[in-house]
Amino acid sequence: MSIFNNKRMALLSKKGIFKYLTYGIGEIILVVIGILIAVSINNKNQERVAQKKLRSYLQVYQQDLVQDTLVVGQVLKYVDDRKKFFRIFLSDTVTAKTYDDNKEGYGLVLSYSPFKLQEKGINLLENYVNDNETEQDTLISRILTNHRAFGNLIDETNVRIGNDIDNNMMYLKEHEPWIADLLIGNLSNPEMITYFLSANYKARLAIHSTLIYGNLEPMLKGLQAANKETLGMLNERLEE
């Protein structure tokens, strides 16, 4: 600054107004360039911080996706293991002996294993997108779209299946006094088998089977396929 001040005074003392103005403009240009450089450096630093934060969020979602994939696999196995019992008890050859040989038939419309997708990683990514004006990222768009779409379907299906189970339980509570024996595993009441061989029960079993194998199972298989593809893309991104 001392050098600039001395130069400025020298120009004025020699009455070099044009040179002084030229020099002043040069100073302004230098200041503007300095500001632009500082802004550029600051922007790059902010972008670097944002990218580091995004990477950490993707890692959290990656862990969530691995956990979801494991849980969905377990639910699909549970559903598949029960499929043969639905087929047996929806057939036209069901007898008291069928129930005696396959005790699982008594609880087919009374139990289910609900679950929810992990939310920590997806919430972090949604907040990141809302807080940062960034160009469209195909991977993040895919993650947000798939997660919310499947999450909503799972929640809706869980509600429908849960409501169906509640309705079945309420019916037994209000119409069948032996429900207490059933719930504690006492299956000797003859009135019990009469109900389970009835058209009423078969209709309830058919509805529940449709909810499980017509809605839940294909949806979960679709989710597993989507998760596998997304996980591959995530692994590739995080290895860069």
Side-chain angles (χ1 to χ4, degrees):
M1 291 304 297
S2 176
I3 294 174
F4 288 152
N5 289 334
N6 291 336
K7 181 68 175 178
R8 190 183 299 113
M9 294 303 296
L11 289 172
L12 287 173
S13 65
K14 295 176 183 178
K15 299 182 180 179
I17 300 299
F18 178 76
K19 289 184 179 180
Y20 177 76
L21 290 175
T22 302
Y23 176 79
I25 293 172
E27 271 194 84
I28 293 173
I29 292 174
L30 286 175
V31 171
V32 170
I33 291 174
I35 292 174
L36 292 176
I37 291 174
V39 170
S40 176
I41 292 174
N42 182 62
N43 288 341
K44 287 185 180 298
N45 287 336
Q46 289 182 341
E47 182 179 353
R48 191 177 299 111
V49 170
Q51 287 301 315
K52 185 176 180 180
K53 184 181 294 185
L54 175 59
R55 184 178 180 84
S56 69
Y57 292 167
L58 288 173
Q59 289 172 333
V60 173
Y61 185 76
Q62 181 188 42
Q63 295 169 0
D64 286 351
L65 199 57
V66 170
Q67 179 65 24
D68 285 337
T69 301
L70 176 63
V71 173
V72 172
Q74 293 172 341
V75 174
L76 280 171
K77 183 179 184 309
Y78 171 80
V79 167
D80 189 60
D81 289 344
R82 288 159 56 95
K83 185 179 295 185
K84 63 180 180 180
F85 297 112
F86 278 91
R87 289 173 178 168
I88 290 172
F89 292 104
L90 283 171
S91 70
D92 295 329
T93 59
V94 181
T95 64
K97 188 177 187 306
T98 308
Y99 279 95
D100 191 48
D101 293 339
N102 302 275
K103 299 294 192 300
E104 294 85 354
Y106 290 102
L108 291 178
V109 301
L110 301 177
S111 60
Y112 169 56
S113 180
F115 72 99
K116 284 182 66 67
L117 297 178
Q118 300 292 314
E119 292 290 327
K120 183 177 180 181
I122 198 66
N123 288 336
L124 290 173
L125 288 174
E126 285 183 336
N127 290 335
Y128 175 86
V129 171
N130 291 334
D131 294 340
N132 294 272
E133 295 183 2
T134 57
E135 60 184 55
Q136 185 175 9
D137 187 308
T138 304
L139 177 57
I140 295 178
S141 297
R142 173 190 173 85
I143 288 172
L144 296 179
T145 301
N146 281 357
H147 188 100
R148 287 311 179 198
F150 279 108
N152 289 335
L153 286 174
I154 289 171
D155 290 343
E156 292 172 3
T157 304
N158 281 337
V159 169
R160 293 178 67 189
I161 294 174
N163 287 341
D164 187 59
I165 290 175
D166 289 343
N167 289 337
N168 291 327
M169 290 289 288
M170 185 60 64
Y171 173 84
L172 294 177
K173 175 184 176 182
E174 294 178 350
H175 297 88
E176 305 295 346
W178 45 258
I179 181 60
D181 291 332
L182 176 65
L183 295 178
I184 64 174
N186 181 8
L187 308 177
S188 60
N189 191 320
E191 294 181 0
M192 189 182 300
I193 194 62
T194 299
Y195 170 76
F196 281 103
L197 291 174
S198 70
N200 182 318
Y201 176 70
K202 190 171 184 178
R204 292 176 181 273
L205 187 62
I207 292 172
H208 198 73
S209 177
T210 299
L211 290 174
I212 299 295
Y213 299 103
N215 295 312
L216 179 67
E217 185 182 45
M219 179 189 63
L220 293 184
K221 288 182 177 180
L223 174 60
Q224 282 294 68
N227 281 355
K228 181 178 180 180
E229 187 174 351
T230 300
L231 192 56
M233 297 170 67
L234 258 177
N235 292 339
E236 185 176 340
R237 169 73 68 88
L238 293 173
E239 286 173 1
E240 294 178 353

